[in-house]
Amino acid sequence: MLKLRGFILQASYRVVSGSAGTRVPVIHIYGRLEDGGTFLVRDNRQRPHFYIRTSDVERASALTSQQSVALEKRTFNGEPVSRFDMETPTDVPGLRDRLHDVGVDTYEADVRFAIRYLIERGIKGGCEIEGEATPGEGITWVFDNPVLRPADVRIEPRVLSFDIETDGKGERLLAISMYSSEIDEVLIVDGSDRPMPEKATRCVDEYSALNAFCERVQQLDPDVITGWNIVDFDLTALQKMAQRLRHPFSLGRDAGAIRIRKAEGYFGSGQASIPGRLVMDGIDLLRGAFVRMDDYSLDAVAREVLGEGKAVAGDVRDRLAEIIHNYRHDLPAFALYARTDARLVFEIVAKLNVIHLAVARSQLTGMTPDRVAASIASFDFLYLSELEKLGIVAPTVRSSDSRVYEAQQGGHVLEPLTGLHRNVWVFDFKSLYPSIIRTFNIDPLSYVARPQPTDDLIETPGGAFRREPAILPRVLDELFPRRDVAKKQGDEVASHAIKILMNSCYGVLGTPACRFYNPALANSITGTGREILLWSKQWFESAGYTVLYGDTDSLFVRSGMPDADEARALGKELAAKLNRDIAQYIGQEWRVTSKMELKFEKLYLRLFLPRARGSTRGASKRYAGLLNAADIDGVQFVGMEVVRRDWTALAKQVQRELYHRLFTDQPVDVYLADIVGRVRDGKLDDQLVYKKNLRKDTEEYTATTPPHVVAARKSTQPLGRLISYVITTAGPEPIDNIQHPLDREHYVIKQIKPVAEPVLATLGLDFEQVIGDSRQMDLYALLGDR
């Protein structure tokens, strides 16, 4: 009998043959032990099941021979339920759908079998395992039908990054490179007697390379296998090669083939399952952690994060030809390129802490680390775990559609007072929406659809809620102090994980794909946020201050003070006073304890609020502010061209410099005239590239053909999602196939002028006069974009 603690990496099941021809589903839980070993829990005692109202049992019995079991559990409305047990998980959807067809509602009939196993035991990431165990083959301990309990377990995941090189069609394997803290090696497929470069191993054929790769994986025993686009390309290509070569291609800790689920939709990513190991694609890890990049190619991300790109001598966009050439004629360069790719991925995910973040999010929600980015599923696990404790069942999800159809209020935006302002306070409500949920007890379980006049409820703009403590407010009450502790301890990973979870609570409630979808809940949160924002605006105005702008959870207030240090000190005092007053207001108006907290966030020495293009009204969610007069990077931009991917590097450079000059009282006219002259002289051609994503295949653009699609159709290279192109005298052309001279005047009119005009208008200057081109007419405005 052993009692060990570990962290769950993977939860799945397999169906085996039982007695008398029965089929028995067996839960498989794989993970790492605290002592560094590995474990597998196998449990054949669990049965797939779901619930219906007990009042519907008679109607349901006409559709199945399965017997129902009456339970003490209840629906949200307090109705008793009965449970249907099925033989295997695949038997559930058929009966569920038949019941729906005759109008019988089901409950939790879509919850994954292995996930339900964890939910019912309250396990989130860490667990204590107690039971009989035997040494496994490739796994330290195998437990059969043990007792699992929740436990707080911390592990350091072992990570292996790999990358493959193939021929132009992705059909013939040239090399497999691997990188981790223990290995830096490339397996090169080469049947000759050429000398192998440093850290390269010869494999006489593709079969030998697959053999060697599988052996390395088994020896290194990683918890996480990562790479760049490894599911849709690397693993998919290797699986096809293995099938062609009849190679077993065993990468798991346990017997079983790799399973790959193809990407759905143009922007989807595929998923891969290897027994006992996590497959976590680098691109998905960044996106799941909300790390925003203009370009998600490995070269671009590596340069942004590490300051180092791919090991190529020529243009990285035409790397295929160089790879093939080096494979044939320069093996050291080929090996370096392959090894560098694997290393870059490893170092990117390590530096950004995205794997550790996934593990931390798993500990919070219960979802396995490879699925924590699925916000609805993570919220589902968390909330269902709490319902399980209360003996309440939740509705089955009927829709996978995450689009919003019913009217929902967004965050409230105050119209900006346009122009240039000095010493402006910025106040933010700390985690506004989670704080509203906590304060007003907003929760699927506490919501009252049809309030009675005699009910003592918390009335919000979107709906009414009971006063008895509910699930979400309690969960958030626990998370807030945990995040504060993490921040004080400098644990950015834990703090970020908690922030992501807290912020997701609002979004999922307004999404039809969530089982707890209810527009009234989302509108209660945003509607209350609007009231709080407007009340705070009035509070400042009553104190004699001018509110220049506000958006959802923030207010920009003119201090009217010439001294910046004195303004900062007063800003902190005002935030503390408003918090006291708003707590009193909320307590009197709703009879609840306020969890709202306004913070003095920063002081802009200068703030510019522009007009919307072609309008006299102020532009929402667009501004530039100066924090530090001594540094051009002291200018912060929100919603402006400098932070948008679809503007050129030229426009961004010009905008950044112009606002720094405006805010520090430096002349702009000489700089602007010089930059236009340099563009026209061809000295800034490297800054004229546009980058824009394709949102579907190029042939699917039929109603309109945007410039990046025109360019994509002219490309000679395999298309990715991001298209890089320039405007020439013949229109848009991809940078890999530029056939005509650049139309530099286009960039003067369409890139420099739009970012310059708001600054020039503030100074009473005219663009054409400043650049010394008073004869110029904006023909592009007359003819339209090219």
Side-chain angles (χ1 to χ4, degrees):
M1 181 75 70
L2 282 180
K3 182 187 288 187
L4 299 174
R5 288 158 48 97
F7 187 87
I8 294 171
L9 299 172
Q10 193 177 68
S12 61
Y13 74 92
R14 299 182 185 181
V15 176
V16 301
S17 298
S19 59
T22 59
R23 296 174 300 158
V24 180
V26 181
I27 294 288
H28 280 59
I29 306 291
Y30 298 93
R32 271 277 308 281
L33 295 167
E34 280 183 321
D35 62 8
T38 56
F39 71 86
L40 165 61
V41 168
R42 296 185 299 214
D43 198 325
N44 61 13
R45 297 167 297 182
Q46 186 89 354
R47 288 293 172 267
H49 58 268
F50 63 92
Y51 309 95
I52 65 170
R53 287 186 294 262
T54 300
S55 58
D56 286 329
V57 166
E58 188 175 343
R59 278 203 297 162
S61 297
L63 299 176
T64 179
S65 59
Q66 295 292 130
Q67 296 298 309
S68 63
V69 179
L71 304 171
E72 294 296 324
K73 293 188 175 186
R74 297 288 187 270
T75 68
F76 273 37
N77 296 327
E79 301 167 281
V81 298
S82 294
R83 188 185 71 210
F84 274 114
D85 291 330
M86 311 299 289
E87 188 175 31
T88 71
T90 56
D91 297 327
V92 172
L95 178 56
R96 176 194 66 201
D97 294 344
R98 293 198 299 274
L99 291 171
H100 289 173
D101 289 343
V102 297
V104 174
D105 291 329
T106 66
Y107 296 83
E108 301 181 15
D110 61 314
V111 179
R112 294 188 179 189
F113 181 51
I115 295 299
R116 182 183 292 284
Y117 181 88
L118 299 177
I119 287 173
E120 291 179 353
R121 288 156 180 78
I123 295 172
K124 296 175 184 174
C127 65
E128 180 184 82
I129 315 162
E130 183 175 6
E132 298 293 336
T134 56
E137 194 171 317
I139 297 172
T140 309
W141 293 108
V142 178
F143 291 84
D144 285 301
N145 296 338
V147 175
L148 255 66
R149 305 182 187 94
D152 184 14
V153 177
R154 299 288 186 269
I155 65 163
E156 182 68 26
R158 292 197 290 262
V159 181
L160 173 67
S161 170
F162 87 95
D163 183 73
I164 70 171
E165 307 302 336
T166 68
D167 64 1
K169 296 181 180 180
E171 295 175 350
R172 182 188 167 207
L173 181 64
L174 304 181
I176 305 175
S177 53
M178 295 161 285
Y179 190 89
S180 74
S181 57
E182 302 176 54
I183 191 172
D184 178 6
E185 181 184 15
V186 57
L187 308 171
I188 298 178
V189 179
D190 183 71
S192 72
D193 57 356
R194 293 187 294 173
M196 285 290 110
E198 179 187 13
K199 299 182 179 180
T201 300
R202 184 195 319 280
C203 299
V204 295
D205 53 29
E206 293 171 293
Y207 194 97
S208 299
L210 291 177
N211 258 350
F213 180 52
C214 291
E215 288 173 3
R216 300 294 193 278
V217 171
Q218 299 299 341
Q219 291 165 1
L220 295 166
D221 196 24
D223 302 307
V224 177
I225 294 178
T226 190
W228 215 253
N229 197 33
I230 55 167
V231 177
D232 294 337
F233 177 68
D234 300 74
L235 284 175
T236 298
L238 289 179
Q239 187 182 55
K240 290 179 179 177
M241 294 172 191
Q243 290 170 347
R244 167 170 57 82
L245 299 169
R246 297 184 179 180
H247 188 283
F249 195 45
S250 177
L251 297 176
R253 285 177 167 147
D254 195 7
I258 180 174
R259 292 182 315 215
I260 296 177
R261 191 175 74 181
K262 293 182 178 179
E264 296 178 1
Y266 193 75
F267 270 87
S269 296
Q271 291 183 328
S273 176
I274 296 174
R277 308 192 200 279
L278 295 174
V279 177
M280 305 181 77
D281 189 277
I283 300 173
D284 292 337
L285 281 167
L286 265 63
R287 287 186 168 132
F290 302 97
V291 177
R292 302 301 180 204
M293 295 285 172
D294 283 346
D295 182 349
Y296 282 96
S297 68
L298 177 56
D299 184 70
V301 174
R303 291 181 188 280
E304 176 76 17
V305 176
L306 306 174
E308 173 190 3
K310 282 173 168 283
V312 289
D315 190 339
V316 71
R317 294 180 298 270
D318 192 26
R319 65 184 183 277
L320 181 59
E322 183 175 336
I323 291 169
I324 300 298
H325 175 273
N326 288 344
Y327 174 72
R328 293 169 178 166
H329 307 292
D330 189 349
L331 214 51
F334 173 79
L336 176 63
Y337 175 88
R339 287 173 41 232
T340 300
D341 273 12
R343 176 178 59 81
L344 291 177
V345 178
F346 184 89
E347 292 181 351
I348 288 168
V349 299
K351 185 170 183 178
L352 295 178
N353 263 328
V354 285
I355 290 177
H356 288 99
L357 177 63
V359 170
R361 292 172 71 182
S362 177
Q363 291 166 330
L364 287 171
T365 67
M367 293 300 294
T368 51
D370 57 339
R371 296 200 65 230
V372 292
S375 58
I376 293 175
S378 295
F379 181 88
D380 216 29
F381 193 117
L382 181 68
Y383 202 92
L384 287 174
S385 297
E386 297 300 320
L387 288 179
E388 178 71 23
K389 299 173 187 176
L390 299 175
I392 296 173
V393 298
T396 298
V397 177
R398 299 286 191 105
S399 172
S400 61
D401 191 347
S402 59
R403 292 173 294 179
V404 175
Y405 296 99
E406 296 190 40
Q408 294 184 27
Q409 302 173 15
H412 190 65
V413 179
L414 304 176
E415 184 178 345
L417 295 180
T418 60
L420 184 62
H421 308 279
R422 289 179 180 268
N423 288 343
V424 177
W425 291 311
V426 180
F427 297 95
D428 280 331
F429 279 100
K430 179 182 176 182
S431 301
L432 176 65
Y433 286 170
S435 296
I436 288 173
I437 293 171
R438 298 170 67 205
T439 300
F440 298 93
N441 208 40
I442 296 173
D443 187 90
L445 201 57
S446 64
Y447 173 67
V448 179
R450 299 178 182 83
Q452 300 301 312
T454 57
D455 291 342
D456 180 20
L457 303 174
I458 303 171
E459 300 278 354
T460 74
F465 299 87
R466 298 183 184 91
R467 295 184 179 274
E468 293 79 17
I471 291 176
L472 272 188
R474 177 174 53 76
V475 169
L476 290 170
D477 280 345
E478 295 170 358
L479 291 175
F480 263 72
R482 286 176 61 182
R483 186 173 184 227
D484 288 340
V485 169
K487 291 171 74 173
K488 289 177 182 176
Q489 294 176 342
D491 190 343
E492 295 182 5
V493 171
S495 174
H496 192 193
I498 295 171
K499 179 181 178 180
I500 292 171
L501 176 58
M502 292 195 308
N503 288 341
S504 71
C505 291
Y506 158 71
V508 298
L509 295 175
T511 306
C514 176
R515 78 179 68 252
F516 306 107
Y517 165 64
N518 187 342
L521 300 183
N523 287 336
S524 293
I525 297 168
T526 54
T528 305
R530 177 181 182 275
E531 287 201 13
I532 297 298
L533 190 73
L534 292 176
W535 186 92
S536 302
K537 175 178 182 288
Q538 186 178 18
W539 187 91
F540 279 109
E541 290 173 344
S542 298
Y545 299 103
T546 301
V547 176
L548 300 172
Y549 177 55
D551 183 357
T552 308
D553 61 355
S554 60
L555 287 168
F556 294 63
V557 183
R558 182 190 292 142
S559 71
M561 303 179 69
D563 185 86
D565 291 335
E566 292 180 3
R568 290 188 186 95
L570 182 57
K572 295 176 182 177
E573 293 177 15
L574 289 173
K577 190 173 188 305
L578 184 143
N579 283 325
R580 291 192 296 268
D581 289 354
I582 202 170
Q584 184 179 4
Y585 164 66
I586 289 173
Q588 291 174 346
E589 186 74 14
W590 286 279
R591 292 186 294 113
V592 296
T593 300
S594 172
K595 305 293 177 68
M596 315 298 297
E597 181 184 348
L598 185 79
K599 300 183 300 179
F600 169 60
E601 184 69 21
K602 56 196 166 192
L603 179 79
Y604 280 130
L605 303 178
R606 298 284 186 93
L607 174 69
F608 183 73
L609 296 169
R611 292 178 179 177
R613 287 208 177 98
S615 173
T616 58
R617 294 174 60 87
S620 299
K621 304 181 185 295
R622 281 173 56 86
Y623 57 86
L626 177 69
L627 288 174
N628 179 6
D631 186 357
I632 191 171
D633 292 330
V635 179
Q636 290 186 344
F637 293 92
V638 172
M640 307 285 272
E641 289 75 8
V642 72
V643 295
R644 292 177 53 186
R645 177 192 292 174
D646 52 351
W647 285 74
T648 62
L650 170 70
K652 295 176 181 181
Q653 173 194 322
V654 171
Q655 187 172 68
R656 191 177 286 111
E657 180 65 30
L658 285 177
Y659 278 95
H660 184 258
R661 288 171 175 266
L662 173 68
F663 290 155
T664 54
D665 300 316
Q666 299 180 56
V668 302
D669 48 355
V670 174
Y671 166 75
L672 203 54
D674 175 67
I675 206 80
V676 168
R678 293 173 67 195
V679 169
R680 287 173 169 168
D681 291 343
K683 296 179 179 179
L684 298 176
D685 286 355
D686 60 332
Q687 297 186 35
L688 305 185
V689 178
Y690 287 99
K691 294 181 179 181
K692 194 171 180 63
N693 267 327
L694 288 172
R695 299 200 173 274
K696 49 190 176 182
D697 291 330
T698 54
E699 61 269 17
E700 294 181 39
Y701 289 87
T702 53
T704 60
T705 309
H708 68 296
V709 178
V710 175
R713 290 173 177 171
K714 299 176 181 178
S715 177
T716 60
Q717 297 294 321
L719 289 180
R721 293 172 180 168
L722 188 68
I723 303 301
S724 299
Y725 67 99
V726 292
I727 301 298
T728 71
T729 55
E733 293 183 349
I735 56 176
D736 62 77
N737 188 24
I738 301 173
Q739 299 293 321
H740 299 86
L742 295 179
D743 184 354
R744 298 187 181 93
E745 204 62 29
H746 163 92
Y747 292 93
V748 173
I749 301 303
K750 293 300 183 183
Q751 291 289 291
I752 298 178
K753 185 176 181 179
V755 301
E757 283 190 322
V759 173
L760 297 177
T762 300
L763 299 173
L765 300 174
D766 177 79
F767 180 75
E768 279 75 22
Q769 292 178 348
V770 166
I771 66 172
D773 201 4
S774 57
R775 70 187 188 283
Q776 181 178 358
M777 293 182 63
D778 188 355
L779 296 178
Y780 288 91
L782 297 175
L783 299 175
D785 286 341
R786 301 180 61 173

